[in-house]
Amino acid sequence: MPESEEKRKMSTPTMPAAPTKETADATWRDRLRHFHVTGDGSDDAGAPLVPLSLAGFFDAEELFDHYPLLIDAASTAGEFARPFSACVEDAFESMGQNSLLRDHKTKLIWAFAQALDEGRETPLAGVIDETCEKFAADFEVSADASRALNKELTHFKKALGKSGVLLGLGNHTLVALYRHALVRERRGRLAAFVSEAAILAENLANILRVDDAHGSANGEPDAAAASLGSAGAQFFEADALAATARSGSGGKSLSAERRKRISETVNLLRGWVKGGPSATDLTLVHSGAPEASFEAEGANVVVHEDILGTATKLYDREMDQVVEIVRAMRIGRLEVGGDYDAELHESQLSRLDRHGLSSEELLVGTPVVALESRDRLRGMSLAPFSAMLRSGRAIHVLVADSESVPTEGSFSEYAFELGYLVLAHREAFVLQSSLASPVHLISGLCELAAAVRPAVAVVAQASGALPAWLQLVSGVAGRGTPLFRYDPGAGPSWAHRLAMGANPQPERPWPTYPIACKGADGKAQSLDLAFTFAHAAALEPSQRKHFWVIPTSAWTDEQINLRELIGADGDQPSLGLPFIWVVGEDGSLARAIVTRQLTMGTHDHVRSWHTLQELGGLDNEHVHRATKVTLEMAHAEAAVRMESLEAKHREELEVVRAEAAAEAMGRLVDVLMDLDSAPRSPRAPTAPAAPQGALAETPSAGTAAAEAAPQEDEDDEDVSFDEAWIDSPLCTTCNECTNLNPRLFKYNGENQAVIADVNAGTFAEMVSAAVKCPVRCIHPGAPQSGDATATAELIAQAAPFN
């Protein structure tokens, strides 16, 4: 049951008082060092571990926000699959306020999930009535309340409808979703092609009928009608056709060669249309292993040990048929238009193969799908897998990956990153996803289904004793299953082809969450804790041997948080004993020492993740270097400009001083000669007889110069550093800020970001944009007056960017 008693909850843990160096047992150091290096010597009882940072993102009931899925193949709006919880909520909205059902929404969804065969499709119409009855029977209420509940359920069933199928979380979920993605992306195109083939065959048959009428009984109506047959007589008038034949306007009779070509084309197209090219949605090839042995609805299942070799043969056979049909279609189009030139077209069409087909024509054939596992591809299948990817054959490979966090083996070797391996082949479509992210998975499968190139989907699915949802979600958070999509046809650069924004906090090495806890003094405090690959491994019972939960008396200064020991840049781990925070059995925080083997495995995963970040344009060292060079050039240009302005200012100041000195000298001369003592009007500076330097030292000259300089400063505009601004010339047009709030940010005529309206957004959005900006060209400034989002922590976070 997904009620509160089964929901994973952790009470606020308490931080125990750390021992002093004097009280710490020195013998622990040697024991823990030995355990860290060898993995031996632990006397831990092996109780299940609960990493403290797990509380930052995991909620067991969140499963029912994603699964079951309601799939409606007939729907034309949006995605073909939606979480059943969203459909239930829509039904509630159409019913108005129904507090009783709303208060038990999770229990209602759980009841439907219980009615499903794990991972298999179940028609909603077949379970809705029985499930609602069982749901109502679980309530011990009065007769009046029972009637009210049943009335609400009746309205609920009517609002929900009965179309579509339900699909739960299981090992068959991947293939079922992919089949529906194929139907969504290909069935309409195939139907249009089949319709065109049928019409084209009929038009070609009409050409033959007209030729028959032209040469039959001098074009008598009865003969013309006989040549048309009952079907043709519905579309043509025998009298008019016979008149055309008698007048000779129908042209010469068809040559034997042309008549044979048209007749063969008609027979081929009619036979293909009649054979039902849409009878199956896909051909699925798998090894027959127990975990893969099932009959997929709408699929022609082929079991063979050589999965890729068999898939290649089936694909070539399917393409031979598609080429034959396409050749007939092209001949038919030319014949109907009267444009067929045997000398020109015959040799070209005879050489047609799959490389000469258009994208739409390649989608006509039944897709050939190979269902593989990472273990098989890592072994003997790796060479044929690489050959298939380089062949250009549009074979789709679904890899059910159950090792996002290995349940067996060691971490002494580098992780086998199948997604990276496929990326190295450049021209293959790659989807790496997880059943924990159905939105990302479904959208990626739709793109993959429409791909006319080699395509691989590596999808994490659960295995082992750990609850499926917990294993899948922790695998994504711990970077064991990075989510990305690589589409070679999306554009010319990696920025266009690689998308990885679906990962949690993709700009960070590890996702980090604030976790509430109590200090040793009982006061509330918060810790920012990362969830790493080691934290995900801690949840796996088979990996318990890599952790030793130690008492407080064993804590020492040489023990370092694993996140800090490895570092954010993926450098070699520093010396020290790594640990992760876990919740002890008594609810207090505890340290779990991690073996060196798992530490190196975590280090390998963060380096792998950082490589993916760089390919995706996140935390890219090339961008950092370019930004540094650009800033240095901007600072150098600013320094040159400042020096030029200062030099100009000095020159202008000397002119003012000279003018002031000349005027002061003129007044002095007037006084000495006892002339008119009234102030004289300023005169243009002239070279005085006495040295100007000496006169500049007089009090009058000094006073005039002092008055002149401040006057220029008073005219300067006030400069404030509290306003938000953007170094637009540094902008890389990454769309991060404009996607965040297009009213706050926009692009100027040079496609560089500027602030459109500072009042159109919040200080929190301004800081968020500054954090996401890869070149750090956004400066949030100070918050606007009255901005409720401007907390002290947010202002402190903005400080480095100002």
Side-chain angles (χ1 to χ4, degrees):
M1 289 291 291
E3 298 299 312
S4 58
E5 66 266 21
E6 290 208 3
K7 179 178 178 181
R8 177 179 291 269
K9 286 186 176 180
M10 291 186 289
S11 58
T12 304
T14 303
M15 175 77 74
T20 61
K21 293 182 179 179
E22 291 75 15
T23 60
D25 188 349
T27 60
W28 274 102
R29 293 188 175 91
D30 294 335
R31 294 176 62 192
L32 293 179
R33 288 170 184 164
H34 178 75
F35 169 75
H36 171 65
V37 175
T38 66
D40 299 327
S42 169
D43 58 2
D44 200 330
L49 290 183
V50 180
L52 180 59
S53 54
L54 181 69
F57 67 90
F58 178 70
D59 182 348
E61 287 190 7
E62 187 182 359
L63 167 64
F64 299 99
D65 292 334
H66 300 279
Y67 291 95
L69 294 167
L70 181 62
I71 301 175
D72 189 354
S75 174
T76 58
E79 296 178 336
F80 66 85
R82 295 180 66 204
F84 185 59
S85 61
C87 302
V88 170
E89 191 61 40
D90 289 345
F92 287 164
E93 290 295 330
S94 66
M95 295 164 55
Q97 297 297 324
N98 295 278
S99 57
L100 184 57
L101 284 182
R102 284 184 183 275
D103 291 343
H104 297 87
K105 175 183 174 182
T106 303
K107 183 176 180 179
L108 180 61
I109 297 173
W110 168 256
F112 277 91
Q114 288 290 91
L116 305 181
D117 185 4
E118 181 183 355
R120 298 181 185 272
E121 301 174 44
T122 303
L124 177 60
V127 297
I128 186 170
D129 293 328
E130 182 180 355
T131 301
C132 288
E133 289 178 7
K134 290 183 178 179
F135 172 78
D138 285 340
F139 289 88
E140 296 182 2
V141 293
S142 65
D144 291 340
S146 179
R147 283 192 294 270
L149 176 60
N150 286 323
K151 184 177 179 180
E152 285 190 10
L153 286 172
T154 300
H155 290 305
F156 168 73
K157 290 189 290 184
K158 182 178 179 181
L160 185 63
K162 294 187 177 181
S163 64
V165 296
L166 291 174
L167 179 65
L169 175 63
N171 290 335
H172 304 302
T173 305
L174 171 59
V175 176
L177 287 176
Y178 177 70
R179 185 184 70 82
H180 282 285
L182 281 174
V183 171
R184 182 77 169 204
E185 296 298 323
R186 295 200 175 199
R187 183 168 287 180
R189 298 172 179 176
L190 178 60
F193 196 85
V194 172
S195 177
E196 182 188 0
I199 295 173
L200 192 57
E202 189 62 30
N203 289 338
L204 291 172
N206 289 337
I207 294 177
L208 296 178
R209 294 188 186 104
V210 170
D211 184 62
D212 290 338
H214 179 75
S216 62
N218 296 321
E220 292 302 323
D222 291 343
S227 68
L228 287 174
S230 58
Q234 299 177 13
F235 303 98
F236 295 91
E237 294 184 5
D239 292 340
L241 185 60
T244 300
R246 286 195 301 269
S247 65
S249 58
K252 296 181 180 180
S253 298
L254 298 177
S255 66
E257 180 183 357
R258 186 183 180 195
R259 186 176 181 85
K260 178 183 178 182
R261 181 169 57 247
I262 294 177
S263 180
E264 290 177 348
T265 302
V266 169
N267 293 335
L268 180 59
L269 293 178
R270 283 179 171 174
W272 181 69
V273 171
K274 185 177 180 180
S278 60
T280 58
D281 299 318
L282 73 155
T283 297
L284 180 68
V285 187
H286 64 78
S287 63
E291 63 272 14
S293 59
F294 62 94
E295 296 297 323
E297 182 182 350
N300 173 30
V301 178
V302 178
V303 177
H304 200 285
E305 181 62 28
D306 183 9
I307 296 177
L308 297 177
T310 303
T312 299
K313 293 177 181 178
L314 292 173
Y315 177 81
D316 288 343
R317 185 187 307 167
E318 181 68 23
M319 282 298 102
D320 288 343
Q321 182 181 8
V322 171
V323 168
E324 187 178 19
I325 297 301
V326 170
R327 183 185 295 116
M329 293 282 287
R330 294 185 182 183
I331 292 174
R333 294 188 190 111
L334 291 170
E335 288 287 5
V336 169
D339 299 323
Y340 189 89
D341 184 340
E343 184 177 351
L344 175 63
H345 295 119
E346 188 171 350
S347 60
Q348 293 180 352
L349 291 172
S350 64
R351 294 195 301 269
L352 182 67
D353 59 13
R354 65 180 175 88
H355 299 288
L357 302 183
S358 67
S359 297
E360 290 297 320
E361 291 167 341
L362 284 169
L363 292 173
V364 171
T366 301
V368 177
V369 183
L371 184 61
E372 275 283 11
S373 67
R374 186 162 70 163
D375 271 346
R376 283 177 51 88
L377 292 177
R378 182 166 45 193
M380 293 185 297
S381 298
L382 189 56
F385 179 58
S386 179
M388 187 213 74
L389 294 175
R390 289 181 283 110
S391 71
R393 292 180 174 89
I395 298 173
H396 296 175
V397 182
L398 303 182
V399 182
D401 185 5
S402 301
E403 299 183 23
S404 55
V405 176
T407 55
E408 295 180 1
S410 69
F411 303 102
S412 58
E413 59 184 28
Y414 297 128
F416 177 67
E417 300 288 356
L418 183 59
Y420 287 149
L421 178 66
V422 184
L423 283 179
H425 290 78
R426 300 191 314 277
E427 295 304 317
F429 181 96
V430 190
L431 171 67
Q432 184 161 296
S433 190
S434 170
L435 293 178
S437 302
V439 173
H440 179 261
L441 174 60
I442 290 170
S443 62
L445 289 176
C446 286
E447 293 185 44
L448 184 144
V452 290
R453 62 176 73 242
V456 179
V458 183
V459 181
Q461 61 183 31
S463 65
L466 198 65
W469 184 248
L470 176 59
Q471 184 186 52
L472 292 170
V473 172
S474 61
V476 173
R479 310 304 193 203
T481 310
L483 309 178
F484 66 85
R485 185 219 69 223
Y486 175 78
D487 184 2
S493 67
W494 281 88
H496 297 91
R497 298 178 177 183
L498 185 63
M500 50 182 293
N503 292 278
Q505 303 177 28
E507 71 283 354
R508 295 174 178 266
W510 310 105
T512 305
Y513 307 96
I515 306 298
C517 63
K518 294 180 182 179
D521 55 1
K523 294 182 178 180
Q525 64 182 48
S526 179
L527 297 176
D528 285 336
L529 298 181
F531 191 89
T532 70
F533 181 78
H535 291 77
L539 295 166
E540 290 285 348
S542 63
Q543 301 302 331
R544 186 64 178 79
K545 59 188 177 183
H546 290 285
F547 300 89
W548 187 355
V549 181
I550 60 175
T552 309
S553 60
W555 292 13
T556 64
D557 291 340
E558 70 173 339
Q559 296 165 10
I560 305 174
N561 193 310
L562 178 68
R563 169 192 177 188
E564 299 173 1
L565 184 140
I566 291 179
D569 53 4
D571 287 342
Q572 191 73 10
S574 57
L575 297 178
L577 288 177
F579 72 88
I580 63 172
W581 290 113
V582 298
V583 181
E585 295 181 359
D586 59 353
S588 65
L589 290 184
R591 290 181 178 180
I593 301 298
V594 183
T595 63
R596 179 170 179 79
Q597 197 175 74
L598 179 55
T599 301
M600 297 306 297
T602 306
H603 171 252
D604 176 46
H605 274 77
V606 76
R607 284 178 60 84
S608 173
W609 168 252
H610 190 58
T611 300
L612 188 61
Q613 279 184 306
E614 289 197 306
L615 293 175
L618 299 169
D619 196 19
N620 190 298
E621 181 62 25
H622 295 290
V623 174
H624 295 330
R625 293 179 183 179
T627 302
K628 182 179 179 181
V629 171
T630 303
L631 288 174
E632 289 176 351
M633 292 175 61
H635 291 158
E637 292 176 0
V640 171
R641 184 179 179 187
M642 182 62 70
E643 184 178 353
S644 174
L645 291 174
E646 289 177 351
K648 183 178 181 181
H649 179 71
R650 287 195 296 269
E651 293 176 0
E652 293 175 348
L653 188 60
E654 289 299 324
V655 171
V656 172
R657 285 177 176 173
E659 292 177 349
E663 182 178 358
M665 185 176 180
R667 293 188 179 190
L668 180 60
V669 170
D670 289 343
V671 170
L672 293 176
M673 296 183 64
D674 197 21
L675 298 176
D676 187 1
S677 59
R680 301 176 61 180
S681 59
R683 67 184 68 180
T686 56
Q692 292 186 14
L695 295 178
E697 299 294 329
T698 63
S700 298
T703 301
E707 293 174 352
Q711 183 64 34
E712 179 177 325
D713 292 339
E714 291 175 1
D715 294 337
D716 289 345
E717 296 182 358
D718 291 337
V719 179
S720 172
F721 293 95
D722 290 338
E723 297 181 359
W725 61 290
I726 298 179
D727 271 346
S728 296
L730 302 182
C731 178
T732 60
T733 320
C734 67
N735 298 327
E736 290 286 355
C737 61
T738 55
N739 287 342
L740 181 65
N741 187 338
R743 294 185 296 107
L744 178 58
F745 304 98
K746 70 176 184 179
Y747 288 125
N748 59 19
E750 298 180 356
N751 212 23
Q752 297 169 334
V754 296
I755 295 178
D757 182 2
V758 73
N759 296 317
T762 65
F763 185 64
E765 290 175 328
M766 188 70 72
V767 175
S768 177
V771 172
K772 292 182 177 182
C773 179
V775 296
R776 294 178 175 262
C777 68
I778 298 178
H779 308 278
Q784 299 287 313
S785 177
D787 192 333
T789 66
T791 63
E793 294 179 355
L794 201 59
I795 294 174
Q797 186 180 2
F801 299 95
N802 288 327

